[in-house]
Amino acid sequence: MPEIRNYTLNFGPQHPAAHGVLRLVLEMDGEVIERADPHIGLLHRATEKLAESKPYNQSIPYMDRLDYVSMMCNEHGYVLAIEKLLGVEVPLRAQYIRTMFDEITRILNHLMWLGTHALDVGAMTVFLYAFREREDLMDCYEAVSGARMHAAYYRPGGVYRDLPDQMPQYQQSQWTTGRDVGRRNEARQGSLLDFIGDFADRFPALVDEYETLLTDNRIWKQRTVGIGVVSPERALQLGFTGPMLRGSGVEWDLRKKQSYAAYDKVDFDIPVGVTGDSYDRYLVRIEELRQSNRIIKQCVEWLRNNPGPVMVDDHKIAPPSRSDMKGDMEGLIHHFKLFSEGYCPPAGEVYAAVEAPKGEFGCYIISDGANKPYRLKIRAPGFAHLAAMDEMVKGHMLADVVAVIGTMDVVFGEIDR
């Protein structure tokens, strides 16, 4: 028999299971991985440098495009840093809205992760189920911002506008019957809060469906149990955050430990794993879907009963109302000046972080007193996780590399910023 020699294999950069523009150089002994070298830089779009050339408020839409599955959570990290610099106190209603949309975003992220991770290792049905629920939540994004993905809804001082009293409805077309449209619009007769409340009531049973397909499925367990094991000590040393850290048994969650928005006013639990393998990280994220739903229900209840402002009453930071702008030349000038020139925070430096779905997303800003940051540094969770690729796949088979990329939940917009 001919001797099997080590060889080098290129995985990516355009690979369906690479979850972005990842190039992995794998050194292999037959099917077994001996070394994995992640190469990044093939996507790089200089987000941090671009933000240093624009007024603070013009960079908010860039944040959506970093981790383009966790849009509003990225905005939250950036906006929190600006608010720290400005010394702004956000109205309580806006904090509850942010908390609710952060959790809607977490569910959106975890559904995308669940569908693609399952697809990567051979399960097709879960992908279709997960996108069915994502559709409803995308409609919530669209209802408040007009965009399904890149919302730019969070603003320094609050949010762009209050929650709408009416949900957009499906219209009959040549492809739909009146009965079908009526069924789709059943939950859309009231306000956005009514729609979100209806979703929160339905969602636990839908998570049960995902678990029926995967949790005790022997093929799923064969592909994930014991794969990519990381000890709690090593997870901390590697800079893991979010489900990657909690999956290794470390109970760390910024929503509890360094509370922001309205997280100190809602009740939820932090799920943690035991063995630190891919299956544990799956179970942690599934439980996070349930806990996020629990938080959303509490926010809906509070927002129904507590009207109020959603933006600070400081016209150095917040634009004038539409009526002021249209009826008064001074308001119009102020509007244009705010969106073209922005505002000048005092000189200093600040770091603000949020518990994004993938882990700790933080923004470090140095201000020199100008209307744009002197320096912006983004702490993206996926960057630290990808650095652990070599030791997580060493000794595993080639097919397990796909499972490990999936369990990391990497998105290259934030890694290759």
Side-chain angles (χ1 to χ4, degrees):
M1 281 183 68
E3 182 186 349
I4 296 176
R5 296 185 177 175
N6 282 14
Y7 65 97
T8 303
L9 179 76
N10 259 317
F11 183 107
Q14 277 81 31
H15 189 287
H19 293 238
V21 196
L22 166 64
R23 178 183 175 220
L24 269 181
V25 179
L26 302 173
E27 289 181 18
M28 303 172 67
D29 180 2
E31 280 274 314
V32 178
I33 311 297
E34 294 205 326
R35 184 168 181 268
D37 186 11
H39 284 232
I40 62 172
L42 295 147
L43 170 70
H44 190 63
R45 46 195 171 168
T47 301
E48 293 160 333
K49 194 49 69 181
L50 284 165
E52 289 161 21
S53 66
K54 288 178 170 51
Y56 286 92
N57 53 358
Q58 290 185 17
S59 292
I60 296 170
Y62 276 116
M63 300 300 130
D64 291 302
R65 291 158 173 81
L66 286 165
D67 174 2
Y68 35 79
V69 197
S70 310
M71 299 74 71
M72 287 200 199
C73 288
N74 302 341
E75 293 174 22
H76 204 167
Y78 179 65
V79 164
L80 271 182
I82 296 171
E83 286 165 353
K84 268 191 180 181
L85 271 175
L86 291 166
V88 169
E89 187 66 41
V90 178
L92 188 57
R93 184 172 173 85
Q95 292 186 6
Y96 268 93
I97 290 173
R98 286 181 180 183
T99 303
M100 181 175 74
F101 269 98
D102 274 14
E103 296 311 310
I104 286 173
T105 305
R106 195 175 313 278
I107 292 175
L108 276 170
N109 181 95
H110 286 355
L111 288 178
M112 170 66 93
W113 161 81
L114 182 68
T116 52
H117 187 23
L119 195 64
D120 286 347
V121 297
M124 178 113 190
T125 311
V126 193
F127 185 80
L128 303 173
Y129 279 31
F131 270 72
R132 176 188 63 191
E133 275 69 76
R134 273 175 61 86
E135 219 33 53
D136 280 344
L137 296 179
M138 287 293 192
D139 286 348
C140 299
Y141 260 53
E142 190 171 2
V144 293
S145 72
R148 280 167 52 85
M149 284 182 68
H150 305 310
Y153 179 57
Y154 294 6
R155 306 289 170 88
V159 293
Y160 162 57
R161 64 170 184 173
D162 208 342
L163 306 174
D165 294 328
Q166 205 171 357
M167 269 302 282
Q169 298 195 7
Y170 286 102
Q171 303 296 313
Q172 191 168 343
S173 71
Q174 57 181 314
W175 295 285
T176 56
T177 64
R179 184 178 169 190
D180 186 39
V181 170
R183 181 181 54 79
R184 287 184 175 190
N185 286 335
E186 276 174 11
R188 297 168 180 267
Q189 301 305 312
S191 66
L192 173 62
L193 277 178
D194 294 332
F195 181 76
I196 295 172
D198 175 76
F199 177 87
D201 290 338
R202 292 186 290 112
F203 190 57
L206 300 171
V207 180
D208 292 342
E209 287 184 9
Y210 313 146
E211 289 219 68
T212 301
L213 288 167
L214 291 180
T215 302
D216 291 322
N217 182 313
R218 63 190 174 89
I219 301 171
W220 177 253
K221 291 180 83 167
Q222 284 166 353
R223 293 300 308 271
T224 55
V225 173
I227 302 298
V229 177
V230 183
S231 69
E233 298 77 24
R234 192 66 189 131
L236 286 166
Q237 290 166 355
L238 288 164
F240 281 10
T241 52
M244 291 289 287
L245 182 60
R246 294 190 286 275
S248 291
V250 180
E251 192 180 331
W252 178 261
D253 189 315
L254 292 180
R255 295 172 296 172
K256 289 269 194 191
K257 307 295 184 185
Q258 298 173 15
S259 193
Y260 56 94
Y263 282 110
D264 57 343
K265 300 174 185 69
V266 292
D267 187 36
F268 65 100
D269 299 319
I270 305 173
V272 290
V274 179
T275 54
D277 60 5
S278 295
Y279 187 66
D280 262 10
R281 291 186 281 272
Y282 156 76
L283 292 175
V284 163
R285 288 185 175 105
I286 286 290
E287 182 55 29
E288 283 191 6
L289 287 173
R290 299 186 189 276
Q291 294 301 323
S292 290
N293 197 61
R294 188 174 156 197
I295 294 170
I296 288 168
K297 277 188 160 184
Q298 295 170 65
C299 290
V300 168
E301 190 61 34
W302 190 93
L303 287 163
R304 275 196 176 125
N305 299 323
N306 295 274
V310 295
M311 180 59 88
V312 292
D313 188 23
D314 179 354
H315 291 320
K316 289 183 178 174
I317 298 161
S321 68
R322 288 270 164 185
S323 56
D324 288 351
M325 187 180 77
K326 288 178 176 175
D328 176 21
M329 181 55 83
E330 192 177 329
L332 186 65
I333 293 168
H334 175 208
H335 173 89
F336 281 115
K337 188 172 171 64
L338 184 71
F339 282 102
S340 58
E341 289 185 19
Y343 30 76
C344 298
E349 55 188 90
V350 71
Y351 177 75
V354 296
E355 186 66 39
K358 293 175 171 60
E360 180 179 332
F361 177 90
C363 288
Y364 172 64
I365 297 176
I366 299 176
S367 167
D368 58 359
N371 67 338
K372 45 183 170 279
Y374 174 75
R375 180 77 180 94
L376 169 67
K377 173 73 176 75
I378 291 163
R379 193 270 176 209
F383 189 82
H385 300 156
L386 189 68
M389 178 66 75
D390 179 48
E391 61 184 85
M392 284 181 75
V393 301
K394 197 172 284 184
H396 287 308
M397 309 289 276
L398 175 60
D400 297 325
V401 174
V402 174
V404 169
I405 293 171
T407 195
M408 285 181 175
D409 190 16
V410 289
V411 159
F412 267 76
E414 63 168 22
I415 291 168
D416 225 346
R417 63 202 174 282

